Structures are given as structure tokens and as C-alpha cells.
Amino acid sequence: GINSSAASLPGDSEEFNVNLRNSMIAAWGCFNIWSANAIYNISDSTLLGINTSTSPSNGFAVIALNNGTYAGNGIPPSNVFNISNTTIRNYMPDPETAEANGVSEQMIRVENEGQTKFNLQDVTFEDTTGIIDSVFYSYSMQGMPAMTDEELAAYVYSNVEAVNVVVKDPLGN
């Protein structure tokens, strides 16, 4: 079977580094983040988010940053993702049925606090499902609202540095 999360980091896991190089991770969520003040260095790798569910409560993301990550901690240092020479891909065996049921496998779900930083260089995002609208998205969970489209756009503008990033749809466009 598919691992639910290759790396699921609880809220009290602070001040650490994760280094992933020359690797392939395939899971429902490759990184399921509840912690603050961590640095993720990912290079020369493939992250594959696999969602085999068509149940409405089982949408997820290849990289999932959870709402409340920074809540109650004052304003701790932000998480930072340094991703280079890496492919981030989603997969669902039946995306049409999943979409009809409100399920997806997104690329990057950002927390509603909007603090996590992303530095992307030579990264390819491959949407094999054809049912997602963007690389970054926000989600209402645990009673915390999602960011509005305007807030999400401002977050990406302020927190994402991107050099040579490619986004492909199921047709390879």
C-alpha cells in the first residue's frame, strides 16, 4: 500500500533540518508539516503524491502545511523549503470520480498563517490529474478558514522565490 505520509512532523518538532537528496518519495503526502522553525533542503529528487481515495474527506497534497502550525507559538521562525532540481508530481487513478466527490491531490497546501517560505530552482510540477487549478492552495481545516484568493496571491508574491520553474498539465503543456 501507499504510506499516508512519508514525513509527518508534529507541532513540537521545532528547530531542525531535513536534507533529502537523490531520492524518490511516493506517499499520500510526502511531507505533512505541523511544525515551525525547520529547514527542508530537497534536491535532485522526485516527490510523488498518490491519492487512491474518492472519499470527500481524503483530499491531500504532496507537501501539506497545516493550519495552526504557527498558532499559539507567538511568531516563531518560519519553515523554509529549499527545493532544487526536483520534480513534484501528483497521481490519482480515477481523478474524474474523485473530482466529482470533491477530492484532489494538490501540489502544495500552505497554512493559513502564510509564513512558510519556498525557494524553488529548476523545479518541475507535473499535474497528472487535470483537476487542480494551481501549484499553491489554501484549505479550511480545524475550524480555521482558508486564505482568500487575494491572500493566497499575496502569500505567493511575498514568500515564494522561483527560478526556472515549469508547471505541466496532463497533456504535457
Side-chain angles (χ1 to χ4, degrees):
I2 302 300
N3 290 330
S4 61
S5 296
S8 186
L9 306 167
D12 58 356
S13 299
E14 296 184 9
E15 299 183 40
F16 64 94
N17 291 331
V18 173
N19 296 301
L20 181 71
R21 186 164 184 252
N22 295 322
S23 298
M24 161 60 149
I25 295 179
W28 183 37
C30 295
F31 290 91
N32 184 19
I33 310 301
W34 295 90
S35 59
N37 196 18
I39 297 174
Y40 300 85
N41 299 303
I42 302 166
S43 64
D44 305 303
S45 296
T46 299
L47 305 180
L48 174 60
I50 301 172
N51 194 338
T52 59
S53 177
T54 56
S55 171
S57 64
N58 287 322
F60 211 48
V62 180
I63 298 173
L65 295 134
N66 294 286
N67 290 347
T69 294
Y70 299 101
N73 296 320
I75 301 179
S78 299
N79 288 319
V80 177
F81 278 80
N82 299 308
I83 305 174
S84 63
N85 301 314
T86 292
T87 297
I88 298 173
R89 180 182 305 125
N90 64 358
Y91 172 77
M92 298 181 84
D94 186 1
E96 293 80 18
T97 301
E99 182 179 32
N101 290 331
V103 180
S104 63
E105 180 70 13
Q106 300 284 335
M107 297 293 180
I108 299 174
R109 181 180 75 201
V110 296
E111 79 290 344
N112 66 349
E113 292 98 343
Q115 283 186 233
T116 301
K117 311 285 186 211
F118 283 87
N119 300 305
L120 308 172
Q121 183 170 353
D122 300 316
V123 175
T124 299
F125 291 94
E126 294 180 2
D127 172 25
T128 70
T129 69
I131 62 173
I132 66 170
D133 296 324
S134 64
V135 168
F136 291 89
Y137 88 111
S138 179
Y139 181 72
S140 175
M141 65 180 283
Q142 295 186 320
M144 297 178 196
M147 288 185 217
T148 65
D149 288 345
E150 293 79 16
E151 290 168 333
L152 184 58
Y155 164 81
V156 170
Y157 182 78
S158 297
N159 293 287
V160 178
E161 295 289 329
V163 176
N164 196 27
V165 172
V166 176
V167 180
K168 295 182 180 179
D169 67 15
L171 300 176
N173 299 316

